[in-house]
Amino acid sequence: MNHIDIVLTLVFSIVMILFMSYPAMVLSNFIEDKLSLSEKWHTPLVISFTFIFSLAIGIYLRFG
């Protein structure tokens, strides 16, 4: 894996952060309802899911 692969994956991921925020919010709301988590977990869940989804899409766009 070259350094250019890592850079391109991160560039693709940064572009997708905006678009992955809505699915992350929907998934965090679903998890809060199903597991009856408190409201304080909403923001960390949304942020972590947004980065995970964006990184997954970036990896797919680079290597898929």
Side-chain angles (χ1 to χ4, degrees), residues 10-33:
L10 292 175
V11 167
F12 291 146
S13 298
I14 288 171
V15 172
M16 294 306 294
I17 283 177
L18 178 68
F19 298 111
M20 290 295 115
S21 61
Y22 180 74
M25 285 188 282
V26 171
L27 184 61
S28 66
N29 285 336
F30 177 76
I31 288 175
E32 282 180 11
D33 291 341

Side-chain angles (χ1 to χ4, degrees), residues 1 3-17 51 54-63:
M1 184 173 200
H3 294 292
I4 193 72
D5 290 336
I6 295 170
V7 170
L8 286 175
T9 301
L10 292 175
V11 167
F12 291 146
S13 298
I14 288 171
V15 172
M16 294 306 294
I17 283 177
F51 285 125
S54 298
L55 190 60
I57 294 294
I59 291 171
Y60 175 74
L61 288 174
R62 178 64 185 129
F63 298 108

